[in-house]
Amino acid sequence: MFGLFKKRVEINHDLVDKIARLLRLQVMLCRFQPDFIAALEKDIVRGYFIGFFDCCLQRRGVAIPDDESFFRLMVRGHETLLATYLDDIPKYTFSSLRRHDSPDFQKGMQIGGAECLSVLDKGHQPFAFPQYVHEGRGPLAA
Protein backbone atom coordinates (compact mmCIF):
# COMPACT_ATOMS: atom_id res chain seq x y z
CA MET A 1 0.00 0.00 0.00
CA PHE A 2 1.36 3.40 -1.09
CA GLY A 3 4.70 1.77 -1.83
CA LEU A 4 5.97 2.43 1.70
CA PHE A 5 7.27 -1.07 2.20
CA LYS A 6 8.03 -1.82 -1.39
CA LYS A 7 11.65 -2.70 -1.97
CA ARG A 8 13.31 -0.22 -4.34
CA VAL A 9 15.31 -1.76 -7.13
CA GLU A 10 18.70 -0.15 -7.53
CA ILE A 11 19.52 1.12 -10.97
CA ASN A 12 22.86 -0.04 -12.27
CA HIS A 13 23.96 3.44 -13.38
CA ASP A 14 27.29 2.22 -14.74
CA LEU A 15 25.66 -0.29 -17.07
CA VAL A 16 23.00 2.16 -18.28
CA ASP A 17 25.67 4.82 -18.86
CA LYS A 18 27.78 2.33 -20.86
CA ILE A 19 24.78 1.51 -23.04
CA ALA A 20 24.14 5.22 -23.64
CA ARG A 21 27.77 5.72 -24.57
CA LEU A 22 27.32 3.15 -27.35
CA LEU A 23 24.83 5.56 -28.93
CA ARG A 24 26.31 8.89 -27.87
CA LEU A 25 28.71 9.33 -30.79
CA GLN A 26 26.02 8.83 -33.39
CA VAL A 27 23.79 11.36 -31.62
CA MET A 28 26.65 13.86 -31.37
CA LEU A 29 27.34 13.50 -35.09
CA CYS A 30 23.77 14.58 -35.82
CA ARG A 31 23.34 17.49 -33.43
CA PHE A 32 24.10 20.20 -36.00
CA GLN A 33 21.67 18.88 -38.59
CA PRO A 34 18.66 21.17 -39.10
CA ASP A 35 16.15 18.39 -38.39
CA PHE A 36 17.95 16.92 -35.37
CA ILE A 37 15.41 17.91 -32.67
CA ALA A 38 12.49 17.09 -34.97
CA ALA A 39 13.99 13.63 -35.53
CA LEU A 40 14.15 13.02 -31.77
CA GLU A 41 10.39 13.58 -31.61
CA LYS A 42 9.54 10.93 -34.20
CA ASP A 43 7.95 7.72 -32.91
CA ILE A 44 10.39 5.56 -34.86
CA VAL A 45 13.41 7.28 -33.26
CA ARG A 46 11.89 7.10 -29.78
CA GLY A 47 11.25 3.39 -30.32
CA TYR A 48 14.79 2.93 -31.63
CA PHE A 49 16.33 4.33 -28.44
CA ILE A 50 14.01 2.30 -26.17
CA GLY A 51 14.64 -0.86 -28.21
CA PHE A 52 18.40 -0.41 -28.08
CA PHE A 53 18.43 0.15 -24.31
CA ASP A 54 15.97 -2.67 -23.64
CA CYS A 55 17.89 -5.17 -25.76
CA CYS A 56 21.21 -4.30 -24.09
CA LEU A 57 19.71 -4.67 -20.62
CA GLN A 58 18.19 -8.03 -21.54
CA ARG A 59 21.47 -9.28 -23.04
CA ARG A 60 23.27 -8.28 -19.85
CA GLY A 61 20.73 -10.24 -17.80
CA VAL A 62 19.28 -7.27 -15.95
CA ALA A 63 16.09 -8.39 -14.21
CA ILE A 64 13.57 -5.57 -14.34
CA PRO A 65 10.82 -6.41 -11.86
CA ASP A 66 8.22 -3.80 -12.75
CA ASP A 67 7.25 -0.90 -15.00
CA GLU A 68 8.54 1.72 -12.58
CA SER A 69 12.00 0.16 -12.57
CA PHE A 70 11.97 -0.04 -16.37
CA PHE A 71 10.97 3.61 -16.57
CA ARG A 72 13.75 4.64 -14.21
CA LEU A 73 16.30 2.72 -16.28
CA MET A 74 15.07 4.33 -19.49
CA VAL A 75 15.16 7.81 -17.93
CA ARG A 76 18.74 7.27 -16.80
CA GLY A 77 19.77 6.11 -20.26
CA HIS A 78 18.02 8.99 -21.98
CA GLU A 79 19.54 11.47 -19.52
CA THR A 80 23.02 10.23 -20.34
CA LEU A 81 22.28 10.27 -24.07
CA LEU A 82 20.07 13.34 -24.60
CA ALA A 83 20.25 15.72 -21.61
CA THR A 84 22.41 18.13 -23.60
CA TYR A 85 19.70 18.45 -26.25
CA LEU A 86 16.36 18.14 -24.42
CA ASP A 87 15.03 19.98 -21.37
CA ASP A 88 12.77 17.46 -19.66
CA ILE A 89 14.13 13.92 -20.02
CA PRO A 90 11.61 12.18 -17.73
CA LYS A 91 8.76 13.77 -19.70
CA TYR A 92 10.39 12.80 -23.02
CA THR A 93 10.93 9.22 -21.82
CA PHE A 94 7.39 8.91 -20.45
CA SER A 95 6.00 10.27 -23.71
CA SER A 96 8.11 7.75 -25.61
CA LEU A 97 6.86 4.81 -23.56
CA ARG A 98 3.26 5.92 -24.00
CA ARG A 99 3.68 5.51 -27.76
CA HIS A 100 4.32 1.77 -27.49
CA ASP A 101 1.23 0.96 -29.57
CA SER A 102 2.37 3.08 -32.50
CA PRO A 103 3.48 0.98 -35.50
CA ASP A 104 6.42 3.35 -36.06
CA PHE A 105 7.46 3.03 -32.41
CA GLN A 106 7.30 -0.77 -32.66
CA LYS A 107 9.35 -0.71 -35.87
CA GLY A 108 11.91 1.56 -34.18
CA MET A 109 12.14 -0.84 -31.23
CA GLN A 110 12.84 -3.74 -33.58
CA ILE A 111 15.52 -1.76 -35.41
CA GLY A 112 17.09 -0.62 -32.13
CA GLY A 113 17.12 -4.17 -30.77
CA ALA A 114 18.63 -5.56 -33.98
CA GLU A 115 21.28 -2.86 -34.01
CA CYS A 116 22.08 -3.57 -30.36
CA LEU A 117 22.68 -7.22 -31.20
CA SER A 118 24.90 -6.22 -34.10
CA VAL A 119 26.95 -4.01 -31.78
CA LEU A 120 27.22 -6.59 -29.00
CA ASP A 121 27.69 -9.70 -31.13
CA LYS A 122 29.68 -8.40 -34.08
CA GLY A 123 31.33 -5.24 -32.76
CA HIS A 124 29.62 -3.05 -35.37
CA GLN A 125 29.03 0.63 -34.76
CA PRO A 126 25.42 1.80 -34.53
CA PHE A 127 24.48 3.63 -37.73
CA ALA A 128 20.69 3.84 -38.07
CA PHE A 129 20.19 7.21 -36.37
CA PRO A 130 22.83 9.20 -38.29
CA GLN A 131 21.75 7.66 -41.59
CA TYR A 132 18.21 8.78 -40.85
CA VAL A 133 19.10 12.31 -39.74
CA HIS A 134 21.87 13.04 -42.26
CA GLU A 135 20.58 11.30 -45.34
CA GLY A 136 16.92 10.47 -44.74
CA ARG A 137 17.67 6.83 -45.46
CA GLY A 138 18.56 3.62 -43.67
CA PRO A 139 16.40 1.31 -41.61
CA LEU A 140 14.65 4.12 -39.71
CA ALA A 141 13.56 5.80 -42.96
CA ALA A 142 12.22 2.70 -44.70
Side-chain angles (χ1 to χ4, degrees), residues 43-44 46-48 51 97 99-113:
D43 286 359
I44 197 161
R46 289 170 179 259
Y48 169 78
L97 293 171
R99 299 167 192 234
H100 72 276
D101 288 332
S102 159
D104 282 345
F105 184 88
Q106 290 295 318
K107 181 179 178 183
M109 279 191 67
Q110 291 173 349
I111 293 167

Side-chain angles (χ1 to χ4, degrees), residues 26-130:
Q26 69 169 315
V27 171
M28 287 174 51
L29 292 172
C30 298
R31 70 179 182 244
F32 296 116
Q33 294 297 310
D35 295 333
F36 173 67
I37 297 299
L40 294 177
E41 294 298 329
K42 303 242 184 235
D43 286 359
I44 197 161
V45 171
R46 289 170 179 259
Y48 169 78
F49 290 140
I50 296 288
F52 194 94
F53 281 115
D54 187 32
C55 180
C56 283
L57 291 168
Q58 287 182 41
R59 284 299 295 269
R60 296 294 184 230
V62 175
I64 304 171
D66 54 39
D67 290 343
E68 179 186 350
S69 299
F70 183 77
F71 175 70
R72 289 173 49 225
L73 286 165
M74 293 301 107
V75 167
R76 176 61 186 214
H78 282 79
E79 282 175 344
T80 304
L81 184 61
L82 301 172
T84 305
Y85 315 109
L86 299 174
D87 293 328
D88 191 342
I89 298 298
K91 181 179 177 182
Y92 176 84
T93 306
F94 184 71
S95 178
S96 293
L97 293 171
R98 291 194 64 207
R99 299 167 192 234
H100 72 276
D101 288 332
S102 159
D104 282 345
F105 184 88
Q106 290 295 318
K107 181 179 178 183
M109 279 191 67
Q110 291 173 349
I111 293 167
E115 194 155 77
C116 166
L117 294 175
S118 179
V119 169
L120 295 177
D121 295 344
K122 300 175 185 168
H124 294 164
Q125 290 297 314
F127 66 89
F129 185 68

Side-chain angles (χ1 to χ4, degrees), residues 1-20:
M1 180 194 246
F2 305 115
L4 295 174
F5 301 107
K6 191 173 169 181
K7 183 179 178 193
R8 302 256 326 156
V9 175
E10 291 300 314
I11 296 175
N12 185 335
H13 292 289
D14 291 337
L15 177 58
V16 175
D17 290 345
K18 285 178 186 175
I19 295 168

